[in-house]
Amino acid sequence: MSTSTAPAAVRIEHLSMRYGRSPVLALSDVDMVVHEGEFVCFLGRSGCGKSTLLSLVAGLEEPTAGTIDHGGRRVGMMFQDSGLFPWLTVQGNIELALRLSGVPRSTWSARVAELLDVVRLPGVQKKRPHELSGGMRQRVALARTLAQDCQVLLMDEPFAALDAITRDAMHDEIERIAAERALTVLFVTHNVREAVRLGDRVILMQPGPGRVASELDVELARPRRMDDAEIAVRAAYLHDLLDEQAGSKEEKAA
Ligand SMILES: Nc1ncnc2c1ncn2[C@@H]1O[C@H](COP(=O)(O)OP(=O)(O)O)[C@@H](O)[C@H]1O
Ligand SMILES: [Mg+2]
C-alpha cells in the first residue's frame, strides 16, 4: 500500500539543533513528513545528525529551533545496545515498561508472554540478559518497547552489533511486526543495503551541518532479502551519492 496518501504521523518543520556552543549545527533546518504506517530509513555517515534527529522526535532533547508534531502519538525508542537492566529477568524488564505505561498488574504475566510471542522468543521470562545472545536481547528490547504500545517506533542502529545471519532474521521480524501493528518506523542506519532492505523511503543525510541531502522511494515488493539484485542496484546508487558527499568534502579541504 502506498503510504504517501496516509495522514502525517510525524511532521518536522525547520528543525535545527546546536549542542552547547558548538560552531557546527548538528541539524540545520530539517523539514519532513513521515506518514502513518511508513517505514523510513535514515542513512548517512557518522556525525550527520541521525541520532540527534531521533532524540528530538523522542523528546529526549529540546531543539534549538523548529517544531516536531506527532499529533499525540505514542513514541517508543530502541538503540544498538538493548539497554536491558542486567539485574532484572526478562519478565522484570518487560514488566517495568508495562508498569510505566499504567497497565494493570493483574495482566502483566499474560502481556509479557504475548509480547515474547510477538518477537518469537517464548518461554525466556526467567532468563537474565547475560544468558541471552545479542539477537535475543534485541528481541527482548523490542518486546519491551512494544509493551509501551507505541504507534511510532524509533530505532537507532538497532541491529548494527549483530552478525549478518541474526540481523537478516531481525529484518524479517521488524518488517512483519511493523506491518501487523501498522507502526510508523523511523529507522537509523549507516548500512546502505539495510536501509534499502527495510525502507519504504530512504532519507540520505549529510554532515557539517547535519541536513537532508536527498531521498529515495524504494518501490520494491515485500518481503525483501538483503541479497536481492534490486536492492543491490539501489544500494549502489546510494553509495555513489555518499561517495560524492565525501568527495566534495575533500575538495573543500584541498
Ligand atoms: N550530546 C552531545 N553534545 C555535543 N555534541 C553532540 C552531542 N551529540 C551529538 N553531538 C554532535 O552532533 C553531531 C551529530 O551527531 P549524531 O546525531 O550523533 O550523528 P549520527 O548519529 O549521524 O552519527 C556530531 O557532530 C556530534 O559530534
Ligand atoms: Mg548515531
Side-chain angles (χ1 to χ4, degrees):
M1 186 196 81
S2 166
T3 49
S4 57
T5 51
V10 181
R11 183 183 297 276
I12 295 173
E13 289 180 338
H14 300 303
L15 188 69
S16 294
M17 179 66 180
R18 184 188 303 280
Y19 288 101
R21 292 186 191 161
S22 166
V24 185
L25 287 169
L27 286 177
S28 171
D29 202 21
V30 171
D31 279 295
M32 71 179 68
V33 173
V34 179
H35 296 94
E36 260 179 19
E38 195 179 11
F39 201 126
V40 177
C41 290
F42 294 89
L43 177 69
R45 57 189 76 247
S46 174
C48 66
K50 305 183 296 297
S51 295
T52 298
L53 181 66
L54 289 201
S55 303
L56 290 167
V57 174
L60 300 174
E61 303 270 4
E62 279 294 314
T64 306
T67 56
I68 299 166
D69 181 8
H70 38 66
R73 288 173 183 78
R74 285 181 300 278
V75 176
M77 189 152 179
M78 205 182 137
F79 302 91
Q80 178 171 341
D81 183 297
S82 71
L84 297 172
F85 292 116
W87 61 87
L88 291 178
T89 60
V90 167
Q91 176 96 20
N93 270 285
I94 299 175
E95 279 183 357
L96 192 58
L98 293 171
R99 177 198 297 263
L100 294 173
S101 301
V103 175
R105 181 183 289 261
S106 59
T107 65
W108 286 357
S109 278
R111 288 277 285 140
V112 170
E114 190 186 304
L115 286 160
L116 289 174
D117 280 343
V118 169
V119 298
R120 301 198 204 220
L121 200 60
V124 299
Q125 280 88 333
K126 293 202 167 68
K127 300 266 189 215
R128 288 182 195 272
H130 74 266
E131 296 177 86
L132 304 175
S133 68
M136 291 161 92
R137 281 201 293 272
Q138 286 308 67
R139 285 176 193 262
V140 176
L142 180 56
R144 184 185 56 178
T145 306
L146 296 174
Q148 299 159 25
D149 213 12
C150 53
Q151 297 147 304
V152 177
L153 179 58
L154 310 177
M155 306 182 87
D156 194 351
E157 310 208 23
F159 310 139
L162 303 180
D163 65 83
I165 293 169
T166 307
R167 183 200 56 205
D168 288 354
M170 292 306 290
H171 286 163
D172 295 341
E173 299 295 11
I174 192 61
E175 184 170 57
R176 172 183 61 81
I177 291 167
E180 280 172 7
R181 304 194 156 220
L183 298 174
T184 304
V185 185
L186 280 67
F187 186 104
V188 161
T189 180
H190 58 253
N191 182 324
V192 178
R193 270 180 180 257
E194 178 172 67
V196 181
R197 157 73 184 82
L198 290 173
D200 296 317
R201 181 158 53 122
V202 178
I203 296 185
L204 185 66
M205 296 182 65
Q206 183 168 351
R211 60 199 186 278
V212 172
S214 56
E215 61 176 68
L216 174 75
D217 286 320
V218 186
E219 285 154 342
L220 295 176
R222 297 178 187 271
R224 305 174 187 156
R225 289 171 46 98
M226 281 289 255
D227 51 11
D228 285 343
E230 296 273 29
I231 287 186
V233 171
R234 284 156 183 81
Y237 168 74
L238 289 166
H239 265 300
D240 284 347
L241 291 180
L242 282 166
D243 286 347
E244 276 172 30
Q245 277 183 18
S248 63
K249 203 169 161 190
E250 278 154 25
E251 273 165 34
K252 261 192 229 163

